[in-house]
Amino acid sequence: QVQLVESGGGLVQPGGSLRLSCAASGSIFSLNTMAWYRQAPGKQRELVAGISSGGSTNYADSVKGRFTISRDNAKKTVYLQMTSLKPEDTAVYYCNARITNLQGVVLPYWGQGTQVTVSS
């Protein structure tokens, strides 16, 4: 079994910062691409940022220059540093990872989601 557990969400004022974390655990051989998605009420889930096993990153245009994705392979953790937060960043943020399990099978996994609310 593989689990992704997110933490770090909460309520923040516009212009503020938050750091999300997502830790993977279980029967993991290797972590491949990891990413953060978000889903606002009434909207489709969208990709926020992704990071490859080699450290290459990509971002949604709406968060470029404000959000930074990083990973610590030894801790099996991916982070999302969010700065200059705007009300439109309000959403449930989900961690996603493509993981090779001990049987050599690559599967996608999702975390349970963490709420980020940007409001004064």
Side-chain angles (χ1 to χ4, degrees), residues 48-104:
V48 175
I51 184 166
S52 71
S53 56
S56 297
T57 59
N58 62 286
Y59 296 92
D61 287 343
S62 59
V63 307
K64 281 181 182 176
R66 300 189 297 122
F67 291 10
T68 302
I69 189 170
S70 61
R71 61 191 288 168
D72 184 329
N73 291 327
K75 294 183 178 179
K76 296 186 177 64
T77 300
V78 64
Y79 305 96
L80 186 67
Q81 179 68 50
M82 304 184 292
T83 63
S84 302
L85 282 160
K86 304 174 182 180
E88 51 263 44
D89 294 317
T90 295
V92 177
Y93 284 70
Y94 296 91
C95 173
N96 170 270
R98 291 184 61 81
I99 295 174
T100 303
N101 63 22
L102 299 182
Q103 288 72 44

Side-chain angles (χ1 to χ4, degrees), residues 17-68:
S17 299
L18 279 177
R19 188 194 197 205
L20 306 182
S21 299
C22 171
S25 62
S27 303
I28 297 170
F29 178 75
S30 65
L31 292 175
N32 305 312
T33 300
M34 303 184 81
W36 288 95
Y37 287 73
R38 67 186 180 188
Q39 188 167 18
K43 295 189 176 181
Q44 288 190 329
R45 191 173 296 190
E46 63 174 356
L47 175 67
V48 175
I51 184 166
S52 71
S53 56
S56 297
T57 59
N58 62 286
Y59 296 92
D61 287 343
S62 59
V63 307
K64 281 181 182 176
R66 300 189 297 122
F67 291 10
T68 302

